[in-house]
Amino acid sequence: DAVRAACASIRTRIEETHPGARVEGFTIEEQVSGTELIIGMSRDPGFGPLFMVGMGGVFVEVYKDVAFRLAPFSRRDALDMIGEIKAQPLLNGARARPVLDRAELAEALLRVAALVEACPEIVELDVNPLVITPERGLVCIDARVIIGEGAPAH
């Protein structure tokens, strides 16, 4: 009932401030709290897929706490990437934050790498934020995939 009332209120405000605007619906999502990470990939024309992992969320550009690897990479490489993030105390549960399951994040990196290998038309991919939660482990909040024509199949 509260969600319905909030949506009705938003719809009313939109109609009042932007007459003629079409509101086709609302997306309702669970609020997820935890430490925010990012997994990303961009396809370099000369080297192929370049993968990134690090501290994510809205401050990813501010902190620039990320590690990179060219594909292909192994589980050990993925774990090494995670180990290069400077904010290790946050990943280890500092300040009552959830502890990162490094094996789970390494698996996520390997799955993204497998997806990129299987779909050479993907030229960029970002999972940001990828939130560490105490109850459910890693939860993807948002993802963006850019498809390009004629992307090289490195």
Side-chain angles (χ1 to χ4, degrees):
D1 290 339
V3 172
R4 283 188 184 91
C7 289
S9 174
I10 293 168
R11 184 181 300 275
T12 300
R13 277 185 273 146
I14 291 171
E15 290 168 353
E16 290 171 355
T17 58
H18 297 85
R22 267 187 20 210
V23 178
E24 296 180 3
F26 295 89
T27 300
I28 310 299
E29 296 182 4
E30 173 186 7
Q31 181 67 38
V32 177
S33 298
T35 304
E36 296 179 343
L37 301 169
I38 184 171
I39 292 176
M41 183 284 302
S42 61
R43 194 176 295 276
D44 180 272
F47 293 104
L50 176 65
F51 290 86
M52 165 186 68
V53 65
M55 300 307 293
V58 296
F59 297 116
V60 67
E61 294 90 5
V62 174
Y63 296 128
K64 297 181 179 153
D65 187 6
V66 294
F68 296 93
R69 288 291 184 286
L70 287 169
F73 58 89
S74 67
R75 182 172 307 279
R76 179 75 254 159
D77 294 326
L79 290 166
D80 288 346
M81 285 174 70
I82 297 164
E84 292 172 14
I85 298 169
K86 295 177 191 110
Q88 290 298 312
L90 292 177
L91 304 180
N92 294 333
R95 307 284 298 180
R97 293 186 176 277
V99 176
L100 172 64
D101 179 343
R102 284 167 169 69
E104 183 181 12
L105 182 55
E107 181 63 25
L109 276 164
L110 291 169
R111 287 180 181 217
V112 167
L115 172 67
V116 168
E117 183 179 348
C119 302
E121 62 274 16
I122 297 174
V123 293
E124 285 184 40
L125 181 148
D126 288 314
V127 178
N128 183 33
L130 181 63
V131 178
I132 307 167
T133 67
E135 305 84 20
R136 297 185 351 227
L138 294 174
V139 177
C140 173
I141 305 300
D142 194 14
R144 176 180 66 97
V145 178
I146 297 177
I147 304 295
E149 293 184 32
H154 288 275

